[in-house]
Amino acid sequence: VSVAMIALTLSVNISSIPASAYSATRTIDNDSIASGYGNTNGGNAYSYLKANSLYNGDARMVSSSKSSCYYYWKYPSMGANATSCRCTIKVYLNHANFTDPSAAYYVQLSNTQSNRVGYLNQEKAPAGWISVAKTLSPLPEGSYYTSKYAFVSPSGTKGKNTGADAIQVLLSS
């Protein structure tokens, strides 16, 4: 009986041990010069904007009608073996001219594709950090994900502007 009790206790304790989890965060400004970080202004479409309300006093902006112009934030690689990934993108929005009603935010999760995490209404967003999140399962390339960049895509709306300031990318599994 005591051997059976020890075996039962062992199986309960072993099965309740949580699997190893991975979590990493990258924060990057729109014009980062930190080692391993960078930005790409697709087609040089995003103009430079300076104001005290912006993260580190500056940002980038493009007409929202230019839906094929992307702004990329590049960062040191994050990745893990996993069956799913929770992607959270936090964006710093604090300028009256950021008015895109449906700016799309993407994160790279594999060597071959990026995944849309969600949309943000930049015009209605409260000033400061705002987030959008999505869990992806299954992952684009099976049981592993890797990420080196995120980007914003304008909605295509005429008469509005898409802002690109600081961004924070959190990946967890």
Side-chain angles (χ1 to χ4, degrees):
V1 172
S2 62
V3 171
M5 290 298 286
I6 291 171
L8 178 61
T9 303
L10 256 169
S11 68
V12 169
N13 288 340
I14 290 172
S15 65
S16 64
I17 296 172
S20 63
Y22 173 83
S23 180
T25 303
R26 302 288 188 258
T27 303
I28 182 170
D29 196 11
N30 66 285
D31 56 358
S32 181
I33 59 171
S35 179
Y37 292 81
N39 306 93
T40 299
N41 181 353
N44 286 328
Y46 285 75
S47 59
Y48 185 76
L49 181 65
K50 197 168 175 133
N52 289 336
S53 64
L54 300 168
Y55 192 86
N56 288 331
D58 65 349
R60 304 289 177 145
M61 187 173 65
V62 70
S63 169
S64 298
S65 64
K66 295 185 177 185
S67 59
S68 62
C69 297
Y70 304 97
Y71 196 84
Y72 288 83
W73 294 267
K74 298 176 184 178
Y75 41 80
S77 181
M78 299 184 279
N81 286 317
T83 56
S84 67
C85 177
R86 177 77 175 164
C87 304
T88 303
I89 295 177
K90 291 183 179 181
V91 181
Y92 191 83
L93 300 171
N94 194 7
H95 197 278
N97 290 340
F98 294 172
T99 56
D100 192 328
S102 192
Y105 290 87
Y106 293 80
V107 66
Q108 173 217 15
L109 284 180
S110 74
N111 291 326
T112 60
Q113 82 182 71
S114 300
N115 297 84
R116 187 179 60 242
V117 176
Y119 299 96
L120 288 175
N121 183 334
Q122 293 187 341
E123 187 170 31
K124 305 278 185 197
W129 292 99
I130 184 167
S131 64
V132 60
K134 181 177 187 178
T135 299
L136 296 165
S137 181
L139 293 170
E141 291 184 355
S143 61
Y144 184 79
Y145 64 87
T146 184
S147 181
K148 295 179 185 177
Y149 64 85
F151 65 93
V152 63
S153 172
S155 65
T157 306
K158 293 183 181 189
K160 301 291 182 176
N161 296 304
T162 305
D165 200 349
I167 191 170
Q168 185 177 78
V169 178
L170 168 65
L171 300 179
S172 59
S173 53

